[in-house]
Amino acid sequence: MNNSSFTNQQINSEQLSTLSSLQLEPLSRRYSVLRQQINAAKYAVLWLLLLLVWLQPWLVLPAELRQGIYYGLFLLPLYTLLRAIYFWQADKHKHFALRQHDISYSCGIFFRKVVTQPVVRVQHIELKQGPLERRVGLARLQLFSAGGTLHTFEIPGLELERAQHIRQFVLQHKDAVQDEQQ
Amino acid sequence: MSNNSEPVLALLKPAATADWQRVSAIAILYFAVAISRFVVGQFVYLIPPFILLFNRIKDNPGPAFGLLVGVMLLVVIVALLKYYYFQYRLSSGTVEIRSGVFSKTYLNLPFNRIQNITLEQPLFYRPGDFVCLQLDTAGSVKQEARLMALRRPFAEALKQQILALRQTELITVETTAADAAAPITQVTSNEQLLNRRSVTDLIIHGISNNRILLFLGIAAPFYNQLADKIQQLLLLAGVDLGSMFDPAQQSWLVIGLYAISLTLFIMLLFTVFSVLGSVLSFYGYTLHKKQDNYIRRSGLLTRHEVSMRLSRLQWVVLQRDWLDMLLGRVNLCFEQINGQLQQFSSEQKIMVPSVTPMQAQQLLAGAYPDNQLSTLVFTPISRRFIWRCFGLFWLPVAVMGPSILLMQQLPTLALLSTVPLIFWALLIVMRWYRYGYAEDPSYYYVRRGYFGVDYYCFAKYKLQQVQFKQSWLMRRAGLCSVKLVLAAGALDIPYIDAQQGKNLLENGLFQLQSSGKAWM
């Protein structure tokens, strides 16, 4: 293997040494917004339910339970806020990067993790869209390798068009196609 | 493509002319045994009440006898039906199987999808020299084909045919040479014996490795009877476990002595079972190499034959437990794709039990000629690994555990609890001490273990995915953890220098992407 004939290498080492040197692409803005909305909506419903139980006149609740609900009415919004802050920060740290031969995805606030999936080793690809994701035109891209389901490579929160582009890129990768023919 | 090997040509008529055929009639016995096993497995919990009711059954054996005959009759009928409805057809590079009495199954398996070929010979197949041929695919367990009873020559010929087909396909794909015929003439060359294990080796293996599970797996239906028998035997011999351990009757010293001797006795018993298990499953062990195929044959009662193509090999593991180190042995394991859905993952790998380090070296060199495991110097991981484990897990438990016990007024227990704590601390330190990694231009080497030590050796282009992990504290210390994912499993190398970790992954990715080699 003489390095001179293979151009991927230089970019390669730069990518991992300073992640900023490889143009890390953030996820879609809509992804972060959607996550915030889901978080807010979910806990708002929970809070309303709790409020309903607190206000309802029909059933006499035990004193301890009423006490618990009372605290819950204050703690739940606080927890929701903490989750929102965490999501906001966590989503800010999610990036992906495409190179000629592999795809990387990095995430984590305190525990940073960069997963790199060589395109040649991709067995099959899935584009997933939940109902809410479909509404805002987002998709999750999953790349499966022989490394097992535990090591499925996933990039969440991509615009549908972009996800389709990446899927096309992987499918059209020269080596991947070669592998498939075999 | 299939017209290269003459002998089996007759088997593989074009689809139109091939007839559906049945396996040999001895398969009825095979089905019967399988069904009986299933029945016993389902109703194993009924055995204790039966033993309790034994006296009443003895007085009035009629219904019980009737029940037994009924069950046996049912087994025979189901076996006959299963045999009758099991049909297969071989045609132009595919095997088709029709089976099922009520719910019909149809399986079509092209030869070039077959990953593994296993020949299995249960005891009752020996006289007629029949074998059970199992064809595995990389996919799910549902996609495996089992031809229950074939004459051995036929099965061997079929196996050769399938392997030869794979060979030709691979050659045409890899070299894209116009005449793929030249290399195929060598297909008929003979097998080369790589390793053979004697009974002494197997006994050593049984002692140093706990193969008790292998034995227990075979003896599973008989546990309850066995336990009862043992207790009865002990009582007959005048040993009453209950009174021996009653502090009211015995002094502490005597009880201690009893406990020690009983532990020794149980360990001896376990070792004996383990040796039995080892001999049962590895008896007559041979490892052959034929072309690119490794073929393992072993087994005392049921003979197994597993073949694996060298290109399927994902990594080689050299395992040494602390007992192996004392006895100077190594278990060598050729592991291929880790099918999580496979019933017995052990069938997927080829293990060479308890070889000497020299033999292990030779076997490894046979698979990976240019590996440097014997001459390499492993890079240790950072000492922070110890502090992390101590600080995060050990210390909280070490402080909380004894202090809670002290608060509960249990000073003896608090004192005793330091023993497992010290052992745990020792484990952490040993874990750190054993961890090491190395690389050369084409291979990765990872060393890890606790008291024993395992060496993993694998080609870089076998990588499936890499992960680079860093916590905030690690980043400050210039450290990282990397994870190398292969089809056989994943390996973590924690707490190594960040720059070296990056290089490690870089080099692997470079090898993988520039070589263009297929991983299987």
Side-chain angles (χ1 to χ4, degrees):
Chain A
M1 301 307 135
N2 38 354
N3 301 12
S4 54
S5 67
F6 190 70
T7 47
N8 195 34
Q9 218 241 346
Q10 269 314 303
I11 315 164
N12 239 342
S13 43
E14 273 174 12
Q15 183 251 330
L16 280 174
S17 52
T18 49
L19 276 162
S20 48
S21 67
L22 187 90
Q23 287 160 346
L24 277 173
E25 300 178 56
L27 304 181
S28 166
R29 275 282 302 154
R30 274 176 275 165
Y31 171 70
S32 188
V33 173
L34 180 68
R35 292 232 303 170
Q36 294 291 357
Q37 283 170 347
I38 292 174
N39 181 44
K42 202 161 77 182
Y43 283 90
V45 168
L46 255 173
W47 190 80
L48 281 175
L49 276 175
L50 219 55
L51 191 70
L52 206 73
V53 176
W54 174 255
L55 292 176
Q56 52 92 17
W58 307 287
L59 215 71
V60 183
L61 294 170
E64 294 98 24
L65 196 60
R66 273 189 77 82
Q67 189 74 21
I69 292 170
Y70 181 73
Y71 286 135
L73 282 173
F74 287 102
L75 288 178
L76 206 62
L78 196 69
Y79 178 64
T80 314
L81 188 71
L82 282 178
R83 267 175 72 96
I85 294 171
Y86 168 73
F87 281 176
W88 171 52
Q89 279 302 317
D91 291 344
K92 241 172 50 175
H93 284 90
K94 288 178 184 169
H95 297 279
F96 72 96
L98 251 72
R99 289 190 305 183
Q100 208 178 341
H101 295 284
D102 49 43
I103 304 180
S104 302
Y105 173 67
S106 73
C107 61
I109 304 170
F110 297 108
F111 298 92
R112 283 196 71 71
K113 179 169 155 183
V114 184
V115 186
T116 306
Q117 175 65 58
V119 178
V120 213
R121 295 288 179 262
V122 174
Q123 300 272 27
H124 78 278
I125 311 169
E126 274 182 30
L127 247 177
K128 287 196 169 167
Q129 275 190 305
L132 292 173
E133 286 167 321
R134 202 153 46 228
R135 269 185 74 102
V136 293
L138 288 178
R140 269 171 294 150
L141 187 77
Q142 292 186 327
L143 304 184
F144 294 83
S145 67
T149 41
L150 264 179
H151 299 110
T152 302
F153 179 90
E154 184 181 280
I155 307 180
L158 292 168
E159 281 112 12
L160 183 61
E161 212 166 285
R162 203 172 202 181
Q164 280 166 343
H165 267 135
I166 300 175
R167 181 176 66 176
Q168 210 54 32
F169 161 74
V170 173
L171 285 175
Q172 280 173 353
H173 193 272
K174 169 179 62 122
D175 293 337
V177 176
Q178 206 174 41
D179 216 35
E180 214 151 272
Q181 275 172 350
Q182 197 192 26
Chain B
M1 240 178 236
S2 57
N3 51 6
N4 287 307
S5 358
E6 292 299 319
V8 205
L9 187 60
L11 309 174
L12 303 174
K13 298 170 193 159
T17 56
D19 291 325
W20 287 98
Q21 34 189 321
R22 295 210 170 81
V23 289
S24 304
I26 194 146
I28 300 171
L29 199 59
Y30 185 95
F31 283 124
V33 169
I35 298 162
S36 311
R37 269 198 177 166
F38 175 75
V39 170
V40 170
Q42 293 291 302
F43 297 108
V44 76
Y45 57 87
L46 284 182
I47 291 172
F50 254 105
I51 292 170
L52 283 178
L53 290 172
F54 188 66
N55 280 326
R56 288 179 59 186
I57 294 169
K58 220 162 50 176
D59 294 341
N60 189 9
F65 189 68
L67 191 72
L68 196 68
V69 170
V71 168
M72 278 166 69
L73 212 65
L74 197 72
V75 167
V76 170
I77 290 171
V78 174
L80 276 172
L81 283 174
K82 276 202 162 194
Y83 164 73
Y84 182 79
Y85 284 107
F86 187 93
Q87 293 178 319
Y88 72 99
R89 178 163 80 168
L90 300 163
S91 55
S92 57
T94 52
V95 52
E96 292 166 273
I97 294 177
R98 278 199 306 211
S99 63
V101 182
F102 294 111
S103 66
K104 305 278 185 195
T105 316
Y106 170 81
L107 181 93
N108 184 321
L109 185 61
F111 287 169
N112 58 7
R113 290 270 173 270
I114 292 169
Q115 303 294 345
N116 274 317
I117 305 167
T118 313
L119 292 180
E120 202 182 290
Q121 190 174 45
L123 197 59
F124 50 86
Y125 274 17
R126 293 269 176 88
D129 205 18
F130 290 98
V131 290
C132 170
L133 183 80
Q134 188 178 321
L135 308 169
D136 295 322
T137 59
S140 69
V141 79
K142 280 177 191 160
Q143 277 207 344
E144 70 173 23
R146 231 167 215 274
L147 295 174
M148 306 303 172
L150 301 175
R151 295 248 170 225
R152 183 183 275 284
F154 179 76
E156 293 281 358
L158 187 60
K159 193 181 103 182
Q160 287 314 319
Q161 177 76 27
I162 295 168
L163 289 178
L165 190 73
R166 280 296 302 175
Q167 198 83 17
T168 52
E169 284 205 342
L170 242 114
I171 287 161
T172 43
V173 167
E174 277 177 2
T175 63
T176 55
D179 54 335
I184 299 153
T185 48
Q186 298 163 0
V187 165
T188 46
S189 71
N190 279 327
E191 292 179 2
Q192 170 200 356
L193 180 71
L194 289 182
N195 201 289
R196 184 190 288 284
R197 300 281 83 202
S198 70
V199 176
T200 325
D201 292 325
L202 298 183
I203 291 172
I204 290 176
H205 183 69
I207 292 170
S208 59
N209 294 265
N210 197 356
R211 293 291 151 206
I212 203 159
L213 282 176
L214 287 176
F215 181 80
L216 292 185
I218 295 165
F222 313 111
Y223 287 157
N224 287 310
Q225 291 102 309
L226 218 72
D228 287 352
K229 272 268 155 48
I230 287 170
Q231 215 161 21
Q232 281 170 11
L233 271 176
L234 283 175
L235 276 176
L236 274 180
V239 181
D240 187 354
L241 291 178
S243 68
M244 266 168 66
F245 287 94
D246 186 356
Q249 293 179 24
Q250 311 281 357
S251 78
W252 277 103
L253 183 69
V254 178
I255 289 180
L257 280 177
Y258 276 149
I260 290 171
S261 53
L262 192 72
T263 316
L264 284 178
F265 177 71
I266 288 173
M267 276 175 69
L268 185 73
L269 208 68
F270 274 27
T271 311
V272 169
F273 279 134
S274 172
V275 168
L276 279 176
S278 159
V279 173
L280 272 178
S281 55
F282 294 121
Y283 182 80
Y285 186 101
T286 56
L287 182 70
H288 285 89
K289 190 176 181 180
K290 184 177 186 180
Q291 239 89 53
D292 271 350
N293 287 293
Y294 278 77
I295 304 163
R296 186 201 100 173
R297 297 187 181 90
S298 71
L300 183 62
L301 300 177
T302 300
R303 280 198 73 78
H304 283 276
E305 180 179 320
V306 182
S307 34
M308 177 185 86
R309 285 178 49 83
L310 188 57
S311 65
R312 302 260 178 273
L313 179 66
Q314 298 298 316
W315 66 33
V316 182
V317 192
L318 276 71
Q319 293 170 315
R320 302 192 83 178
D321 280 351
W322 62 275
L323 260 173
D324 283 316
M325 299 185 108
L326 280 182
L327 295 167
R329 295 295 172 124
V330 184
N331 290 323
L332 185 111
C333 224
F334 295 108
E335 290 190 29
Q336 50 174 338
I337 178 168
N338 177 21
Q340 292 125 330
L341 297 164
Q342 298 289 343
Q343 297 148 300
F344 305 108
S345 55
S346 60
E347 281 179 11
Q348 288 291 305
K349 43 189 168 188
I350 292 189
M351 212 251 259
V352 197
S354 291
V355 288
T356 60
M358 188 60 111
Q359 288 170 320
Q361 206 52 222
Q362 282 166 0
L363 283 169
L364 179 62
Y368 291 152
D370 48 345
N371 90 87
Q372 303 171 19
L373 182 64
S374 50
T375 53
L376 273 171
V377 181
F378 281 88
T379 316
I381 62 169
S382 162
R383 238 177 259 271
R384 274 173 182 260
F385 177 76
I386 305 179
W387 305 135
R388 199 267 314 246
C389 293
F390 269 97
L392 220 57
F393 308 110
W394 190 84
L395 206 61
V397 177
V399 172
M400 299 283 283
S403 45
I404 287 174
L405 287 171
L406 275 178
M407 275 194 281
Q408 301 278 324
Q409 309 290 330
L410 295 164
T412 338
L413 271 183
L415 203 65
L416 274 177
S417 70
T418 53
V419 176
L421 281 172
I422 290 169
F423 184 70
W424 188 10
L426 196 63
L427 275 182
I428 292 173
V429 175
M430 283 308 288
R431 187 68 169 164
W432 165 78
Y433 176 71
R434 289 295 188 208
Y435 245 120
Y437 67 97
E439 62 168 338
D440 64 16
S442 40
Y443 298 100
Y444 281 125
Y445 308 87
V446 178
R447 181 189 66 192
R448 69 176 194 191
Y450 294 96
F451 294 108
V453 57
D454 298 344
Y455 296 94
Y456 293 80
C457 172
F458 52 96
K460 284 178 174 171
Y461 72 86
K462 295 277 180 184
L463 277 178
Q464 295 286 342
Q465 190 188 77
V466 296
Q467 296 184 4
F468 178 87
K469 288 183 263 190
Q470 229 177 11
S471 73
W472 179 68
L473 279 174
M474 285 163 84
R475 195 154 55 234
R476 279 182 30 160
L479 295 172
C480 74
S481 294
V482 298
K483 189 174 195 176
L484 307 171
V485 182
L486 279 90
L491 274 179
D492 273 305
I493 314 175
Y495 284 80
I496 59 175
D497 181 71
Q499 194 52 49
Q500 281 186 25
K502 283 166 195 164
N503 291 342
L504 207 67
L505 300 187
E506 279 319 322
N507 299 341
L509 285 175
F510 167 63
Q511 270 292 326
L512 146 67
Q513 291 159 350
S514 63
S515 72
K517 284 188 197 163
W519 62 277
M520 60 172 271

